[in-house]
Amino acid sequence: MAEFHKADVEKLIDGVLPWPAVQDMMKSAKDLDRFDKYVEILQERVPWDERILLPLTPQLFIVAGDGARVVKCRCGHEFGDYRVNWKLSALIYVRDDEESLSEVYKGREMPDPTWVQVREYICPGCGAQLEVEAVPRGCPPDFDFLPDLDTFYREWLGRPLRDSVPYEDLTPALVATWAQPDYAKPVPELEGFTKDFYDFCRKGELRFQRCSECGTWRHIPREMCAECGSFEWEWEPSTGRGTVFSWTVVERPLHPDFSGDTPYAAVIVEMDEGVRLVSEVPDCDPDDLRIGMPVEVFFDAVSHKITLPKFRPRAAVGRTGGPVDRAGGPRTPMRARRTLELPDTIRYEVSDRVAVVTVDRPDALNSLTKDMLTALDAVFADFNADDDIWVAVLTAAGERAFCTGMDLKEAIPLLTSGDELGYEDHTKRQFSDVFKPIIGAVNGHCIAGGMEMLVGTDIRIAAEHATFGLGEVRWGLVPAGGSHIRVPRQIPWAVAMELLLTGDPIDAQRAYEIGLVNRVVPSEDLMPTALDMAARICRNGPLAVRTSKQIAVRALGLEQGFVLEKALAAKVFASEDAKEGPEAFKEKRPPEFRGR
């Protein structure tokens, strides 16, 4: 066993030992003498007396304190139990933008701040930089080193430590206590379907079971539908909105842990889906509750495992849209919805119970990006759920185009790689589960995805210069947004096949003759006619109108057709022709199809 002088070990620590001596030390077996000298030198260099058990970094040490093993900085600042990641107790300076990263990186060496952040861990006691991490954004602090001290001292050094402690990472337990709110009231037992319900609540989603056979919704989860006996069902998202069906004021607590909250109201909320949910409206005095009061769900994380759905008066979250003008007076101005964050290319305005949704990308013939599709889905989900809005008008900016479909530069790479483009549920297409009336106001070219969007509306007004078509087959593609299912149900079969198989467009007059649109008007009369139609519908009972559309749409049984369309269209988008067609379109040449 080689022996090394204490002076040599000290030079090694300081980084001044000559390289040949370092190599000799590296080649020799580790021994107790060298370890003891190493620790002895470190002990002499710190200003405190606690025994160093093991160094972690040049600045940090695991020391034996008063019956505990803690991480301690050279300056004397303690970070707590060594089995907890010390970084959680450090000061952290995060560099996650170009300005701060440019202080340490230059030019092309700089990482992309949208993906990477640099964290500098600082000692709160002396301000020394203890460690630096370059990690993906959102990555938790890395626990670099958790030594098994008892095994090391017992089996390697042969001198067991007193008061052995379990070897375990205590960091997760500590973090869990941070996320644990102070909530002592009874909580649900997480078993079976109940666990699934509350798992959705933890994600901020209110979902109920819905029978796939008869469509019945149910809140109390069970395997079999009580209405038709079917075992086929899905967890379907709720609108999260409802009205107060009933309530009772509790003067004497049903459980001791509720004693501090009395009097409180146990409320039964009737959801839009028809199910009734027992909950509470904590932001509302029991004296202010009323039967039929509109309420909206919010989620209360009462523990790190349980998130409860609770309700607040719907007026508390803000509403837009003016009163209905039933006397035929002037309409109130349109006001933009403030409840959604939308791209500039989608406008959503409300007035007189009518929502006007405008595709606003005229410089690109109102072609759609994936973000715009997602925004449209969000807009119509909001429209469908808001009891204060009764009719929607879908139109577009400019006079050249209503919509020319997807932006091919973005869509083709996505579709040919299997992207869903917003239709994760294969039984759905745009507006297929919106049961309020949608009026389409077509102000120009309505082709490809624009036509597919239009056939999801209920009433259509067209400007005289509008054109309609499904030209996907010309480029080796298929219109996979519901056209194969909807178009043959809305116009004669032979005409539908002509549109689908030739890809040839038709003008507004022909669209009127075959029943694809309800009115053809001069362009300056387009929106007044559409808004007048919306006002006529608003004069009727909103529940009756919505129910009439729901019965009519659901009786068509579109879902199975959508699934079939999705499955067969996927084969086309994966074909060589599907790549050749768009390429030819971009190069402005006839495509050379091979049928494969």
Side-chain angles (χ1 to χ4, degrees):
M1 179 185 301
E3 278 197 32
F4 297 94
H5 295 293
K6 181 178 177 181
D8 291 334
V9 177
E10 194 161 10
K11 290 178 182 178
L12 177 69
I13 294 173
D14 293 335
V16 296
L17 186 67
W19 179 239
V22 173
Q23 289 181 307
D24 289 342
M25 195 176 289
M26 292 172 63
K27 293 175 184 177
S28 64
K30 293 181 174 61
D31 59 81
L32 288 177
D33 178 70
R34 199 186 333 162
F35 177 77
D36 290 340
K37 289 174 181 174
Y38 179 50
V39 173
E40 180 184 348
I41 294 167
L42 296 176
Q43 196 78 56
E44 292 170 353
R45 294 184 175 189
V46 296
W48 29 265
D49 297 330
E50 287 85 357
R51 177 189 170 199
I52 294 176
L53 299 177
L54 202 67
L56 287 178
T57 74
Q59 287 287 125
L60 296 178
F61 311 90
I62 300 175
V63 304
D66 297 331
R69 302 169 191 171
V70 298
V71 175
K72 197 164 188 171
C73 180
R74 185 180 297 275
C75 71
H77 179 82
E78 291 190 1
F79 288 83
D81 194 307
Y82 83 102
R83 295 169 296 174
V84 175
N85 191 348
W86 63 266
K87 294 177 183 177
L88 301 183
S89 301
L91 301 176
I92 308 175
Y93 178 65
V94 179
R95 300 178 186 269
D96 58 0
D97 55 43
E98 290 188 7
E99 181 179 358
S100 59
L101 286 171
S102 65
E103 296 175 2
V104 292
Y105 292 98
K106 300 300 178 184
R108 299 170 66 179
E109 294 179 351
M110 183 186 299
D112 184 350
T114 62
W115 289 94
V116 175
Q117 58 182 204
V118 175
R119 302 177 191 151
E120 299 174 9
Y121 295 93
I122 311 296
C123 175
C126 64
Q129 186 183 78
L130 303 174
E131 190 168 317
V132 178
E133 287 178 348
V135 296
R137 295 177 70 96
C139 179
D142 185 27
F143 197 169
D144 299 308
F145 183 36
L146 176 59
D148 186 351
L149 281 178
D150 287 293
T151 299
F152 175 68
Y153 269 81
R154 182 178 62 251
E155 299 184 11
W156 288 75
L157 301 181
R159 33 181 132 132
L161 294 170
R162 293 185 300 171
D163 304 322
S164 176
V165 299
Y167 174 62
E168 58 180 328
D169 183 356
L170 299 182
T171 308
L174 174 65
V175 174
T177 63
W178 295 349
Q180 175 78 47
D182 183 16
Y183 193 82
K185 300 174 184 178
V187 294
E189 294 290 335
L190 298 183
E191 298 177 350
F193 295 137
T194 300
K195 181 180 183 302
D196 295 338
F197 176 81
Y198 286 103
D199 282 346
F200 285 120
C201 290
R202 286 179 64 192
K203 301 174 184 176
E205 301 176 17
L206 184 62
R207 293 190 177 227
F208 301 120
Q209 285 182 326
R210 187 182 185 188
C211 177
S212 301
E213 296 295 327
C214 68
T216 300
W217 295 79
R218 55 182 183 264
H219 165 50
I220 301 176
R222 56 174 65 92
E223 188 71 30
M224 185 184 77
C225 177
E227 295 294 324
C228 69
S230 172
F231 288 88
E232 300 296 324
W233 56 270
E234 298 289 342
W235 285 105
E236 293 281 356
S238 166
T239 65
R241 299 183 179 188
T243 56
V244 173
F245 178 80
S246 174
W247 82 92
T248 182
V249 178
V250 178
E251 300 289 349
R252 298 178 60 188
L254 303 177
H255 188 280
D257 291 332
F258 285 86
S259 58
D261 293 338
T262 55
Y264 65 90
V267 178
I268 299 176
V269 175
E270 184 165 56
M271 305 301 298
D272 286 354
E273 295 76 25
V275 302
R276 292 172 184 167
L277 191 63
V278 180
S279 185
E280 59 179 313
V281 187
D283 295 333
C284 183
D285 188 281
D287 291 339
D288 295 332
L289 289 170
R290 297 289 183 271
I291 298 294
M293 173 189 287
V295 292
E296 183 169 61
V297 75
F298 72 95
F299 297 96
D300 185 4
V302 299
S303 76
H304 66 280
K305 290 185 178 180
I306 298 290
T307 296
L308 297 177
K310 298 182 180 180
F311 293 86
R312 57 190 167 204
R314 208 178 301 171
V317 297
R319 281 291 170 266
T320 59
V324 179
D325 177 18
R326 298 195 180 272
R331 296 178 57 83
T332 57
M334 286 286 173
R335 290 185 287 176
R337 289 287 280 185
R338 303 297 184 190
T339 55
L340 297 175
E341 292 186 9
L342 301 174
D344 294 339
T345 48
I346 299 294
R347 289 191 277 119
Y348 182 25
E349 301 165 298
V350 175
S351 178
D352 297 332
R353 304 280 191 185
V354 177
V356 174
V357 182
T358 306
V359 179
D360 192 359
R361 200 185 178 208
D363 55 333
L365 296 179
N366 292 315
S367 59
L368 300 171
T369 64
K370 186 173 182 179
D371 287 345
M372 292 169 69
L373 270 180
T374 301
L376 284 170
D377 285 344
V379 163
F380 279 94
D382 183 86
F383 159 68
N384 199 43
D386 195 327
D387 292 338
D388 295 334
I389 313 176
W390 294 357
V391 182
V393 176
L394 175 63
T395 189
E399 295 187 354
R400 296 174 60 201
F402 171 75
C403 178
T404 54
M406 290 296 297
D407 187 327
L408 288 183
K409 286 185 258 184
E410 177 182 282
I412 297 306
L414 294 174
L415 289 171
T416 54
S417 64
D419 193 282
E420 300 289 348
L421 280 179
Y423 301 119
E424 296 179 1
D425 185 345
H426 295 178
T427 68
K428 306 292 185 185
R429 292 295 184 273
Q430 271 186 308
F431 320 140
S432 62
D433 53 358
V434 177
F435 296 130
K436 292 181 183 178
I438 304 174
I439 299 171
V442 184
N443 50 321
H445 297 303
C446 177
I447 59 176
M451 172 87 162
E452 296 199 283
M453 192 159 56
L454 184 74
V455 296
T457 64
D458 307 299
I459 296 173
R460 298 115 192 208
I461 314 298
E464 291 173 331
H465 66 288
T467 60
F468 304 82
L470 295 164
E472 282 85 345
V473 291
R474 291 183 171 188
W475 309 107
L477 306 171
V478 292
S483 293
H484 304 91
I485 318 307
R486 285 168 161 164
V487 174
R489 285 170 166 82
Q490 297 180 13
I491 62 177
W493 172 267
V495 181
M497 289 300 101
E498 182 179 353
L499 286 171
L500 286 166
L501 303 182
T502 67
D504 293 339
I506 59 175
D507 60 21
Q509 184 58 36
R510 178 60 174 157
Y512 173 74
E513 291 170 356
I514 62 177
L516 183 64
V517 301
N518 300 73
R519 305 275 194 281
V520 177
V521 299
S523 58
E524 63 269 20
D525 294 336
L526 179 66
M527 284 305 294
T529 304
L531 292 172
D532 179 68
M533 181 70 73
R536 289 168 57 192
I537 296 173
C538 284
R539 288 195 288 267
N540 301 324
L543 181 60
V545 168
R546 185 171 184 172
T547 302
S548 293
K549 176 177 175 179
Q550 183 173 6
I551 294 170
V553 171
R554 294 183 63 182
L556 291 174
L558 303 176
E559 289 85 354
Q560 290 182 338
F562 290 151
V563 173
L564 178 63
E565 180 184 65
K566 178 65 180 178
L568 296 182
K571 297 180 180 179
V572 174
F573 286 114
S575 69
E576 293 180 16
D577 284 355
K579 296 178 177 63
E580 162 62 13
E583 193 66 30
F585 178 84
K586 287 190 293 184
E587 296 174 3
K588 299 181 180 180
R589 60 173 173 82
E592 298 179 4
F593 294 130
R594 301 180 182 277
R596 61 174 184 252

